Amino acid sequence: MSTPRVTAIHDMSGFGRCSLTVAIPILSAMGVQCCPLPTAFLSTHTGGFEGFTFLDMTDEMPKIARHWKSLGLRFDAVYSGFLGSARQIGMVADFIRDFRGDGVVVVDPVMGDGGAVYRTYTPEMCAGTARLAEQADVITPNLTEAALLLGIPYGELPGGEAGCRAIVERLSLEGRRSVVLTGASLEPGSTGAMCFDASAGRTEAVQTRRVDRDFHGTGDVFSSVLTGALVQGKSLIEAARAAVEFVRACAERTAAMDLPMREGVDFEPLLGLLAKPAPTPLDGPA
């Protein structure tokens, strides 16, 4: 079998583990070719850093897409995340239309966290991201992004297991797309995801023990593992379980090392947990 291929439409931050510096190594460790389509280049990510640089890649994105189209490239997944400008939203929508084929479209509707919108995201971009997410087969919002997609104040989100179930089912567009709500805690000391699987028509929670620290970039780690597992052929629940457990392992390691929140999780030494055994090569001629 050929190696699965995913295009990752995210920003690249030179320091601070997030976006493409997370997606590329995680997908590669999972035996998936990652083809990056950068939306922006930043010196650091925007959480906990001041004075970061920001290079908007909007003008390059359609050129890259046209070249890839001329090459006849096909992808097993289109996976989008942080976008650098409002113009990019339409470009990503066009890219999905041109390249989705029989693959899965995963949209991480990156807009905010902790009840606040990221400083580079305008109301226009949030509205556009919601429209883009309508094209997805799978979306992976956190609670803040779920509130933005639903158009309700963050403080009015329903809580508990019943509330999380209601959120993902409302976000499913009447069962037409799968939803993985990240950061969903059903009881004290636990965290994980609430999942609506459109193919199975069912909602199920995946939980693990909570590490009592917050780190930037865990959403990118989660969505990258989820995407890799989906193109490996795992079900949505299996993929979410793999993502939840890997994020927990990374958070435990990082908390034990007492690393700063803004550096993200120390995931690199744990990539072996994601690696599949290499296939046995075909025997050559005697």
Side-chain angles (χ1 to χ4, degrees):
M1 293 179 63
S2 61
T3 299
R5 181 186 295 157
V6 170
T7 183
I9 309 174
H10 297 257
D11 69 290
M12 171 73 81
S13 293
F15 184 78
R17 300 172 176 94
C18 68
S19 302
L20 285 176
T21 56
V22 164
I24 294 171
I26 284 178
L27 289 169
S28 298
M30 297 179 77
V32 176
Q33 180 187 6
C34 181
C35 301
L37 177 53
T39 61
F41 182 82
L42 296 84
S43 54
T44 68
H45 63 72
T46 62
F49 293 100
E50 298 296 333
F52 54 85
T53 66
F54 185 97
L55 177 64
D56 188 342
M57 297 289 287
T58 301
D59 291 339
E60 290 299 311
M61 291 174 64
K63 300 176 188 177
I64 296 168
R66 284 195 297 271
H67 187 214
W68 286 0
K69 192 172 183 180
S70 75
L71 297 174
L73 296 185
R74 296 291 181 266
F75 300 97
D76 296 282
V78 177
Y79 165 36
S80 74
F82 180 91
L83 301 180
S85 71
R87 287 174 56 206
Q88 290 182 0
I89 295 169
M91 294 175 182
V92 176
D94 290 343
F95 188 95
I96 290 171
R97 183 197 64 223
D98 290 342
F99 287 94
R100 74 183 306 156
D102 295 327
V104 62
V105 175
V106 180
V107 172
D108 185 1
V110 179
M111 293 182 281
D113 199 7
V117 177
Y118 293 136
R119 69 183 84 178
T120 59
Y121 266 65
T122 63
E124 178 188 8
M125 288 186 69
C126 290
T129 299
R131 292 192 300 272
L132 177 66
E134 292 177 359
Q135 297 192 36
D137 299 307
V138 183
I139 62 171
T140 59
N142 60 29
L143 289 164
T144 301
E145 292 150 357
L148 291 166
L149 292 172
L150 292 171
I152 62 177
Y154 177 74
E156 295 182 11
L157 283 174
E161 181 173 358
C164 289
R165 286 179 176 272
I167 290 169
V168 297
E169 289 168 6
R170 284 185 61 187
L171 287 173
S172 74
L173 302 180
E174 299 182 341
R176 297 194 302 275
R177 70 179 174 193
S178 295
V179 181
V180 181
L181 179 68
T182 64
S185 175
L186 304 190
E187 60 184 20
S190 72
T191 190
M194 181 65 78
C195 310
F196 174 79
D197 185 342
S199 64
R202 66 189 178 100
T203 304
E204 185 172 331
V206 177
Q207 295 284 282
T208 192
R209 59 187 177 277
R210 172 176 168 76
V211 176
D212 196 24
R213 284 278 304 276
D214 291 322
F215 300 99
H216 288 293
T218 52
D220 295 325
V221 172
F222 182 98
S223 295
S224 297
V225 175
L226 180 91
T227 301
L230 288 174
V231 300
Q232 288 176 344
K234 291 183 170 61
S235 70
L236 185 78
I237 303 304
E238 291 171 331
R241 186 170 294 112
V244 164
E245 292 301 329
F246 187 70
V247 171
R248 177 192 54 75
C250 294
E252 286 181 340
R253 174 183 172 83
T254 310
M257 297 174 68
D258 198 28
L259 294 178
M261 173 183 176
R262 67 185 188 178
E263 292 190 17
V265 288
D266 189 46
F267 72 92
E268 294 91 347
L270 300 179
L271 286 172
L273 298 175
L274 300 173
K276 293 175 61 180
T280 303
L282 296 176
D283 291 332

